[in-house]
Amino acid sequence: MKVDIEYLEKLSKLKIDDEKKEKFEQDFEKILAFVDDITKLELPEEDKSRAVALSQLREDEFTQKDKVDVLSCAPKKKDGCYLTPLVVE
Amino acid sequence: MKFEELSLQELVEGITSQKFLSESVVKYFIEQCEKHSDLNAIIEVFDDAIAKAKALDEKIARCEKVGKLAGVPVAIKDIIACKGKKMTCASKFMKDYESPYSATIIKKLEAEDAIIFARTNMDEFAMGSSCENSCYGACKNSHDQTRVSGGSSGGSAVAVASGLCPVAIGTDTGGSVRQPSSFNGVVGIKPTYGSVSRFGIVAFASSTDQAGPITKTIEDNEFILSILAGKDANDGTSIENDFISSPTKEKYTIGICKQLTEKIKQLDTYPQFESAIHAFEKMGYDIVEVDVPHIADCLACYYILTPAEATSNLARFDGVKYTIRSEEAKSLEEVYVKSRSEGFGEEVKRRIMLGNFVLSSGYFDAYYKKAKKLQTLLKQEFAEAFKHCDTIITPTTPGEAFEIGGKIKDPVAMYLEDLFTVPASIAGIPALSIPYAKGKTGLPLGLQLMGAQKSEKTLYDIAKKFKQGGAQ
């Protein structure tokens, strides 16, 4: 199967180096050929039993006692917020 | 004293009876890590480990109560958060990341007075079967440095096998504890899905990720899992699994999966596997053939489901929240694209894109939805098979550890390494790998024992009896 690598790059917010692109595409097609048999199987409906039942959810109350500094590893931060380039001028 | 020759119980007993100090034990293993740095199994030894050991020794001297792992040094895979310590997932993307909190399993180990003393090498974000996809370079096999350690928890398995630590914690999404354990001649388990909390472990594929101990002996492994297991309010998928109190039997029924027989017979290592079956027969166990009709489709199912989950889980690495941001990025879009392209390695990129492919419009039903349906069916097929046997055995890997560089350029060849380990991951059942024979070049081989949900006790018991029954 021919794959639109540019489209997948866009979806993935990734860029594959130009010199690696050809090999990447070939490998990708080999992988898809390898998993492709699954598309031909006739299978019963999916089981949703693993999904968490509403009755299993905890009470909606604040439980975390330890304060965690989520910004501690941010590359750029200011006044307790993540800092990014301007989105709106 | 060679501390690596002692069992965990002996180590704890020695430390608590003050026959030797935890400080001496920790120092000894740190020296071993330094001496064998060429294996590239240990990424970092934590600088507060000796101080922690000393504090514990003082606690013992004051006759205070201590935990079940008093003073035992434990190495952890570089994907498990330990407060104040670096954790990089062997990725350039995380190179300066310091965990702001500890994983539940770290808290459990520390509550039993274990000394978390080092972090181990791995494939980047746990994606790989050879430990070559690491920003620190490949980890080498403990028996032959030209061979791979296996992966993704390669550093953890090599560290235990080479006597750099008495126990290491790995994580297993499709075989990442069992395969390196097999390649290095040590014991590793992937527990029943949900048995061990995933809180504080960086997610690769949330529906199959499980942490598990790697140890030299089956007894040590069981001991550590009994400490790690249990429901955790911070992980909604965690379950209570009090496997340790399950009953054992005198004799067990060993299952051989009919649909894998031909594949196993074609392996170079089939004679070793056959002799394992004979050993079980000699022990008076019944050997039965069981059906898991879709087992051979597991590998395809795995390489659809786990990239799909990885795509979502790794979306958080965006150049905004964690450590690295591309210097060249001018706009927010560039922050995302350039940071991710510079930060992630090739295999991680491949899996993210594969995940986006199977989730994308036009392919979702044909691939992802089909794989989810297959997962349901496989769980039912395994449940049916375990009505007829206590365990299904397979080789853990198709062969011995392969050469470094041998498969890294061919992703499909690398994925085929996971043939026997992914079924248990897809079905959420426990699977134990124990060393049982040597291959043609003298490297260790692992035997995999899969069991029904929460049957860890049965697997450990069969494995112990198999070892006592004269296996190598």
PDB file of all heavy atoms in Angstrom, chain B residues 434-464:
ATOM      1  N   ILE B 434      11.434 -17.852  32.505  1.00  0.00           N
ATOM      2  CA  ILE B 434      12.498 -18.392  33.359  1.00  0.00           C
ATOM      3  C   ILE B 434      13.608 -18.963  32.476  1.00  0.00           C
ATOM      4  O   ILE B 434      13.339 -19.478  31.396  1.00  0.00           O
ATOM      5  CB  ILE B 434      11.977 -19.513  34.305  1.00  0.00           C
ATOM      6  CG1 ILE B 434      11.293 -20.640  33.509  1.00  0.00           C
ATOM      7  CG2 ILE B 434      11.035 -18.944  35.346  1.00  0.00           C
ATOM      8  CD1 ILE B 434      11.082 -21.915  34.291  1.00  0.00           C
ATOM      9  N   PRO B 435      14.862 -18.852  32.911  1.00  0.00           N
ATOM     10  CA  PRO B 435      15.940 -19.459  32.114  1.00  0.00           C
ATOM     11  C   PRO B 435      15.833 -20.979  32.193  1.00  0.00           C
ATOM     12  O   PRO B 435      15.574 -21.518  33.265  1.00  0.00           O
ATOM     13  CB  PRO B 435      17.211 -18.958  32.801  1.00  0.00           C
ATOM     14  CG  PRO B 435      16.802 -18.473  34.148  1.00  0.00           C
ATOM     15  CD  PRO B 435      15.347 -18.183  34.121  1.00  0.00           C
ATOM     16  N   TYR B 436      15.959 -21.672  31.062  1.00  0.00           N
ATOM     17  CA  TYR B 436      15.766 -23.136  31.120  1.00  0.00           C
ATOM     18  C   TYR B 436      16.760 -23.932  30.287  1.00  0.00           C
ATOM     19  O   TYR B 436      16.875 -25.149  30.427  1.00  0.00           O
ATOM     20  CB  TYR B 436      14.333 -23.501  30.714  1.00  0.00           C
ATOM     21  CG  TYR B 436      14.088 -23.597  29.216  1.00  0.00           C
ATOM     22  CD1 TYR B 436      13.789 -24.809  28.612  1.00  0.00           C
ATOM     23  CD2 TYR B 436      14.134 -22.464  28.412  1.00  0.00           C
ATOM     24  CE1 TYR B 436      13.554 -24.898  27.243  1.00  0.00           C
ATOM     25  CE2 TYR B 436      13.900 -22.539  27.060  1.00  0.00           C
ATOM     26  CZ  TYR B 436      13.607 -23.758  26.473  1.00  0.00           C
ATOM     27  OH  TYR B 436      13.380 -23.828  25.123  1.00  0.00           O
ATOM     28  N   ALA B 437      17.479 -23.283  29.370  1.00  0.00           N
ATOM     29  CA  ALA B 437      18.407 -24.045  28.525  1.00  0.00           C
ATOM     30  C   ALA B 437      19.404 -23.091  27.897  1.00  0.00           C
ATOM     31  O   ALA B 437      19.332 -21.872  28.094  1.00  0.00           O
ATOM     32  CB  ALA B 437      17.619 -24.776  27.440  1.00  0.00           C
ATOM     33  N   LYS B 438      20.329 -23.671  27.143  1.00  0.00           N
ATOM     34  CA  LYS B 438      21.295 -22.850  26.401  1.00  0.00           C
ATOM     35  C   LYS B 438      21.082 -23.089  24.905  1.00  0.00           C
ATOM     36  O   LYS B 438      20.722 -24.201  24.495  1.00  0.00           O
ATOM     37  CB  LYS B 438      22.736 -23.258  26.762  1.00  0.00           C
ATOM     38  CG  LYS B 438      23.097 -22.968  28.222  1.00  0.00           C
ATOM     39  CD  LYS B 438      23.764 -21.609  28.351  1.00  0.00           C
ATOM     40  CE  LYS B 438      23.722 -21.030  29.745  1.00  0.00           C
ATOM     41  NZ  LYS B 438      24.410 -21.802  30.767  1.00  0.00           N
ATOM     42  N   GLY B 439      21.326 -22.074  24.092  1.00  0.00           N
ATOM     43  CA  GLY B 439      21.212 -22.234  22.648  1.00  0.00           C
ATOM     44  C   GLY B 439      22.504 -22.767  22.049  1.00  0.00           C
ATOM     45  O   GLY B 439      23.445 -23.096  22.778  1.00  0.00           O
ATOM     46  N   LYS B 440      22.549 -22.809  20.716  1.00  0.00           N
ATOM     47  CA  LYS B 440      23.714 -23.369  20.005  1.00  0.00           C
ATOM     48  C   LYS B 440      25.022 -22.673  20.352  1.00  0.00           C
ATOM     49  O   LYS B 440      26.066 -23.298  20.434  1.00  0.00           O
ATOM     50  CB  LYS B 440      23.497 -23.226  18.490  1.00  0.00           C
ATOM     51  CG  LYS B 440      22.887 -24.463  17.864  1.00  0.00           C
ATOM     52  CD  LYS B 440      22.831 -24.275  16.361  1.00  0.00           C
ATOM     53  CE  LYS B 440      21.990 -25.389  15.753  1.00  0.00           C
ATOM     54  NZ  LYS B 440      21.551 -25.081  14.410  1.00  0.00           N
ATOM     55  N   THR B 441      24.953 -21.348  20.527  1.00  0.00           N
ATOM     56  CA  THR B 441      26.193 -20.627  20.842  1.00  0.00           C
ATOM     57  C   THR B 441      26.400 -20.460  22.339  1.00  0.00           C
ATOM     58  O   THR B 441      27.253 -19.684  22.772  1.00  0.00           O
ATOM     59  CB  THR B 441      26.208 -19.236  20.162  1.00  0.00           C
ATOM     60  OG1 THR B 441      25.020 -18.550  20.536  1.00  0.00           O
ATOM     61  CG2 THR B 441      26.272 -19.333  18.662  1.00  0.00           C
ATOM     62  N   GLY B 442      25.630 -21.185  23.100  1.00  0.00           N
ATOM     63  CA  GLY B 442      25.836 -21.191  24.550  1.00  0.00           C
ATOM     64  C   GLY B 442      25.155 -20.066  25.307  1.00  0.00           C
ATOM     65  O   GLY B 442      25.375 -19.869  26.499  1.00  0.00           O
ATOM     66  N   LEU B 443      24.301 -19.292  24.608  1.00  0.00           N
ATOM     67  CA  LEU B 443      23.601 -18.192  25.279  1.00  0.00           C
ATOM     68  C   LEU B 443      22.292 -18.699  25.886  1.00  0.00           C
ATOM     69  O   LEU B 443      21.708 -19.677  25.412  1.00  0.00           O
ATOM     70  CB  LEU B 443      23.317 -17.063  24.275  1.00  0.00           C
ATOM     71  CG  LEU B 443      24.562 -16.354  23.738  1.00  0.00           C
ATOM     72  CD1 LEU B 443      24.197 -15.403  22.611  1.00  0.00           C
ATOM     73  CD2 LEU B 443      25.268 -15.594  24.844  1.00  0.00           C
ATOM     74  N   PRO B 444      21.826 -18.016  26.936  1.00  0.00           N
ATOM     75  CA  PRO B 444      20.632 -18.511  27.628  1.00  0.00           C
ATOM     76  C   PRO B 444      19.344 -18.421  26.803  1.00  0.00           C
ATOM     77  O   PRO B 444      19.210 -17.555  25.942  1.00  0.00           O
ATOM     78  CB  PRO B 444      20.528 -17.601  28.860  1.00  0.00           C
ATOM     79  CG  PRO B 444      21.462 -16.485  28.648  1.00  0.00           C
ATOM     80  CD  PRO B 444      22.398 -16.826  27.551  1.00  0.00           C
ATOM     81  N   LEU B 445      18.439 -19.333  27.106  1.00  0.00           N
ATOM     82  CA  LEU B 445      17.108 -19.328  26.494  1.00  0.00           C
ATOM     83  C   LEU B 445      16.079 -19.292  27.616  1.00  0.00           C
ATOM     84  O   LEU B 445      16.289 -19.871  28.674  1.00  0.00           O
ATOM     85  CB  LEU B 445      16.887 -20.603  25.670  1.00  0.00           C
ATOM     86  CG  LEU B 445      17.780 -20.810  24.447  1.00  0.00           C
ATOM     87  CD1 LEU B 445      17.556 -22.209  23.876  1.00  0.00           C
ATOM     88  CD2 LEU B 445      17.510 -19.754  23.381  1.00  0.00           C
ATOM     89  N   GLY B 446      14.962 -18.630  27.336  1.00  0.00           N
ATOM     90  CA  GLY B 446      13.907 -18.553  28.344  1.00  0.00           C
ATOM     91  C   GLY B 446      12.693 -19.366  27.951  1.00  0.00           C
ATOM     92  O   GLY B 446      12.371 -19.508  26.766  1.00  0.00           O
ATOM     93  N   LEU B 447      12.047 -19.912  28.974  1.00  0.00           N
ATOM     94  CA  LEU B 447      10.780 -20.615  28.774  1.00  0.00           C
ATOM     95  C   LEU B 447       9.685 -19.696  29.297  1.00  0.00           C
ATOM     96  O   LEU B 447       9.787 -19.167  30.407  1.00  0.00           O
ATOM     97  CB  LEU B 447      10.781 -21.925  29.570  1.00  0.00           C
ATOM     98  CG  LEU B 447       9.532 -22.796  29.439  1.00  0.00           C
ATOM     99  CD1 LEU B 447       9.466 -23.441  28.064  1.00  0.00           C
ATOM    100  CD2 LEU B 447       9.518 -23.895  30.511  1.00  0.00           C
ATOM    101  N   GLN B 448       8.641 -19.495  28.494  1.00  0.00           N
ATOM    102  CA  GLN B 448       7.553 -18.619  28.926  1.00  0.00           C
ATOM    103  C   GLN B 448       6.367 -19.451  29.424  1.00  0.00           C
ATOM    104  O   GLN B 448       5.941 -20.403  28.753  1.00  0.00           O
ATOM    105  CB  GLN B 448       7.097 -17.719  27.776  1.00  0.00           C
ATOM    106  CG  GLN B 448       5.929 -16.816  28.181  1.00  0.00           C
ATOM    107  CD  GLN B 448       5.467 -15.898  27.067  1.00  0.00           C
ATOM    108  OE1 GLN B 448       5.488 -14.692  27.207  1.00  0.00           O
ATOM    109  NE2 GLN B 448       5.049 -16.472  25.959  1.00  0.00           N
ATOM    110  N   LEU B 449       5.864 -19.080  30.593  1.00  0.00           N
ATOM    111  CA  LEU B 449       4.663 -19.723  31.132  1.00  0.00           C
ATOM    112  C   LEU B 449       3.557 -18.671  31.195  1.00  0.00           C
ATOM    113  O   LEU B 449       3.678 -17.689  31.929  1.00  0.00           O
ATOM    114  CB  LEU B 449       4.916 -20.274  32.543  1.00  0.00           C
ATOM    115  CG  LEU B 449       5.965 -21.369  32.690  1.00  0.00           C
ATOM    116  CD1 LEU B 449       7.301 -20.753  33.086  1.00  0.00           C
ATOM    117  CD2 LEU B 449       5.548 -22.382  33.706  1.00  0.00           C
ATOM    118  N   MET B 450       2.510 -18.876  30.396  1.00  0.00           N
ATOM    119  CA  MET B 450       1.363 -17.949  30.436  1.00  0.00           C
ATOM    120  C   MET B 450       0.270 -18.592  31.280  1.00  0.00           C
ATOM    121  O   MET B 450       0.137 -19.827  31.295  1.00  0.00           O
ATOM    122  CB  MET B 450       0.814 -17.719  29.026  1.00  0.00           C
ATOM    123  CG  MET B 450       1.749 -16.983  28.106  1.00  0.00           C
ATOM    124  SD  MET B 450       0.995 -16.650  26.486  1.00  0.00           S
ATOM    125  CE  MET B 450       1.403 -18.156  25.609  1.00  0.00           C
ATOM    126  N   GLY B 451      -0.525 -17.779  31.946  1.00  0.00           N
ATOM    127  CA  GLY B 451      -1.592 -18.333  32.778  1.00  0.00           C
ATOM    128  C   GLY B 451      -2.855 -17.498  32.697  1.00  0.00           C
ATOM    129  O   GLY B 451      -2.862 -16.414  32.104  1.00  0.00           O
ATOM    130  N   ALA B 452      -3.918 -18.007  33.311  1.00  0.00           N
ATOM    131  CA  ALA B 452      -5.180 -17.264  33.349  1.00  0.00           C
ATOM    132  C   ALA B 452      -4.982 -16.001  34.193  1.00  0.00           C
ATOM    133  O   ALA B 452      -4.001 -15.883  34.924  1.00  0.00           O
ATOM    134  CB  ALA B 452      -6.278 -18.141  33.947  1.00  0.00           C
ATOM    135  N   GLN B 453      -5.939 -15.073  34.117  1.00  0.00           N
ATOM    136  CA  GLN B 453      -5.874 -13.846  34.910  1.00  0.00           C
ATOM    137  C   GLN B 453      -5.617 -14.171  36.381  1.00  0.00           C
ATOM    138  O   GLN B 453      -6.237 -15.084  36.928  1.00  0.00           O
ATOM    139  CB  GLN B 453      -7.214 -13.114  34.812  1.00  0.00           C
ATOM    140  CG  GLN B 453      -7.553 -12.647  33.415  1.00  0.00           C
ATOM    141  CD  GLN B 453      -7.498 -11.148  33.278  1.00  0.00           C
ATOM    142  OE1 GLN B 453      -7.630 -10.434  34.248  1.00  0.00           O
ATOM    143  NE2 GLN B 453      -7.276 -10.665  32.077  1.00  0.00           N
ATOM    144  N   LYS B 454      -4.748 -13.417  37.008  1.00  0.00           N
ATOM    145  CA  LYS B 454      -4.414 -13.528  38.432  1.00  0.00           C
ATOM    146  C   LYS B 454      -3.860 -14.904  38.834  1.00  0.00           C
ATOM    147  O   LYS B 454      -3.989 -15.304  39.986  1.00  0.00           O
ATOM    148  CB  LYS B 454      -5.639 -13.212  39.302  1.00  0.00           C
ATOM    149  CG  LYS B 454      -6.202 -11.813  39.099  1.00  0.00           C
ATOM    150  CD  LYS B 454      -7.284 -11.543  40.128  1.00  0.00           C
ATOM    151  CE  LYS B 454      -7.916 -10.182  39.936  1.00  0.00           C
ATOM    152  NZ  LYS B 454      -8.905  -9.869  40.940  1.00  0.00           N
ATOM    153  N   SER B 455      -3.253 -15.630  37.889  1.00  0.00           N
ATOM    154  CA  SER B 455      -2.736 -16.964  38.233  1.00  0.00           C
ATOM    155  C   SER B 455      -1.224 -16.928  38.475  1.00  0.00           C
ATOM    156  O   SER B 455      -0.541 -17.951  38.321  1.00  0.00           O
ATOM    157  CB  SER B 455      -3.060 -17.958  37.115  1.00  0.00           C
ATOM    158  OG  SER B 455      -2.299 -17.651  35.961  1.00  0.00           O
ATOM    159  N   GLU B 456      -0.674 -15.792  38.865  1.00  0.00           N
ATOM    160  CA  GLU B 456       0.772 -15.667  39.071  1.00  0.00           C
ATOM    161  C   GLU B 456       1.316 -16.738  40.012  1.00  0.00           C
ATOM    162  O   GLU B 456       2.380 -17.296  39.787  1.00  0.00           O
ATOM    163  CB  GLU B 456       1.125 -14.280  39.623  1.00  0.00           C
ATOM    164  CG  GLU B 456       1.115 -13.157  38.596  1.00  0.00           C
ATOM    165  CD  GLU B 456      -0.253 -12.537  38.368  1.00  0.00           C
ATOM    166  OE1 GLU B 456      -1.263 -13.121  38.827  1.00  0.00           O
ATOM    167  OE2 GLU B 456      -0.330 -11.481  37.722  1.00  0.00           O
ATOM    168  N   LYS B 457       0.551 -17.037  41.074  1.00  0.00           N
ATOM    169  CA  LYS B 457       1.024 -18.035  42.044  1.00  0.00           C
ATOM    170  C   LYS B 457       1.234 -19.392  41.361  1.00  0.00           C
ATOM    171  O   LYS B 457       2.235 -20.075  41.616  1.00  0.00           O
ATOM    172  CB  LYS B 457      -0.012 -18.162  43.178  1.00  0.00           C
ATOM    173  CG  LYS B 457       0.381 -19.116  44.283  1.00  0.00           C
ATOM    174  CD  LYS B 457       1.317 -18.435  45.254  1.00  0.00           C
ATOM    175  CE  LYS B 457       1.855 -19.412  46.265  1.00  0.00           C
ATOM    176  NZ  LYS B 457       2.832 -18.744  47.130  1.00  0.00           N
ATOM    177  N   THR B 458       0.281 -19.760  40.511  1.00  0.00           N
ATOM    178  CA  THR B 458       0.384 -21.024  39.773  1.00  0.00           C
ATOM    179  C   THR B 458       1.633 -21.033  38.904  1.00  0.00           C
ATOM    180  O   THR B 458       2.388 -22.012  38.879  1.00  0.00           O
ATOM    181  CB  THR B 458      -0.871 -21.215  38.887  1.00  0.00           C
ATOM    182  OG1 THR B 458      -2.015 -21.218  39.733  1.00  0.00           O
ATOM    183  CG2 THR B 458      -0.825 -22.494  38.086  1.00  0.00           C
ATOM    184  N   LEU B 459       1.861 -19.922  38.193  1.00  0.00           N
ATOM    185  CA  LEU B 459       3.028 -19.856  37.304  1.00  0.00           C
ATOM    186  C   LEU B 459       4.334 -19.980  38.094  1.00  0.00           C
ATOM    187  O   LEU B 459       5.245 -20.719  37.708  1.00  0.00           O
ATOM    188  CB  LEU B 459       3.027 -18.548  36.493  1.00  0.00           C
ATOM    189  CG  LEU B 459       1.798 -18.281  35.627  1.00  0.00           C
ATOM    190  CD1 LEU B 459       1.991 -17.003  34.815  1.00  0.00           C
ATOM    191  CD2 LEU B 459       1.513 -19.445  34.686  1.00  0.00           C
ATOM    192  N   TYR B 460       4.417 -19.253  39.204  1.00  0.00           N
ATOM    193  CA  TYR B 460       5.631 -19.337  40.043  1.00  0.00           C
ATOM    194  C   TYR B 460       5.801 -20.754  40.575  1.00  0.00           C
ATOM    195  O   TYR B 460       6.920 -21.286  40.606  1.00  0.00           O
ATOM    196  CB  TYR B 460       5.546 -18.353  41.216  1.00  0.00           C
ATOM    197  CG  TYR B 460       5.794 -16.901  40.864  1.00  0.00           C
ATOM    198  CD1 TYR B 460       4.905 -15.904  41.239  1.00  0.00           C
ATOM    199  CD2 TYR B 460       6.954 -16.505  40.191  1.00  0.00           C
ATOM    200  CE1 TYR B 460       5.137 -14.560  40.956  1.00  0.00           C
ATOM    201  CE2 TYR B 460       7.197 -15.163  39.900  1.00  0.00           C
ATOM    202  CZ  TYR B 460       6.284 -14.197  40.280  1.00  0.00           C
ATOM    203  OH  TYR B 460       6.530 -12.869  39.992  1.00  0.00           O
ATOM    204  N   ASP B 461       4.706 -21.375  40.993  1.00  0.00           N
ATOM    205  CA  ASP B 461       4.799 -22.718  41.578  1.00  0.00           C
ATOM    206  C   ASP B 461       5.243 -23.755  40.530  1.00  0.00           C
ATOM    207  O   ASP B 461       6.104 -24.587  40.802  1.00  0.00           O
ATOM    208  CB  ASP B 461       3.440 -23.102  42.188  1.00  0.00           C
ATOM    209  CG  ASP B 461       3.571 -24.293  43.132  1.00  0.00           C
ATOM    210  OD1 ASP B 461       4.525 -24.290  43.943  1.00  0.00           O
ATOM    211  OD2 ASP B 461       2.756 -25.219  43.048  1.00  0.00           O
ATOM    212  N   ILE B 462       4.661 -23.660  39.335  1.00  0.00           N
ATOM    213  CA  ILE B 462       5.065 -24.593  38.263  1.00  0.00           C
ATOM    214  C   ILE B 462       6.552 -24.374  37.950  1.00  0.00           C
ATOM    215  O   ILE B 462       7.319 -25.330  37.807  1.00  0.00           O
ATOM    216  CB  ILE B 462       4.210 -24.379  36.991  1.00  0.00           C
ATOM    217  CG1 ILE B 462       2.743 -24.725  37.263  1.00  0.00           C
ATOM    218  CG2 ILE B 462       4.742 -25.223  35.831  1.00  0.00           C
ATOM    219  CD1 ILE B 462       1.783 -24.373  36.133  1.00  0.00           C
ATOM    220  N   ALA B 463       6.948 -23.102  37.851  1.00  0.00           N
ATOM    221  CA  ALA B 463       8.347 -22.791  37.514  1.00  0.00           C
ATOM    222  C   ALA B 463       9.310 -23.339  38.568  1.00  0.00           C
ATOM    223  O   ALA B 463      10.347 -23.924  38.246  1.00  0.00           O
ATOM    224  CB  ALA B 463       8.515 -21.275  37.372  1.00  0.00           C
ATOM    225  N   LYS B 464       8.936 -23.189  39.848  1.00  0.00           N
ATOM    226  CA  LYS B 464       9.809 -23.693  40.928  1.00  0.00           C
ATOM    227  C   LYS B 464       9.926 -25.202  40.849  1.00  0.00           C
ATOM    228  O   LYS B 464      11.018 -25.765  40.970  1.00  0.00           O
ATOM    229  CB  LYS B 464       9.223 -23.303  42.295  1.00  0.00           C
ATOM    230  CG  LYS B 464       9.475 -21.862  42.680  1.00  0.00           C
ATOM    231  CD  LYS B 464       8.915 -21.615  44.086  1.00  0.00           C
ATOM    232  CE  LYS B 464       8.152 -20.332  44.133  1.00  0.00           C
ATOM    233  NZ  LYS B 464       7.387 -20.128  45.348  1.00  0.00           N
TER     234      LYS B 464
END
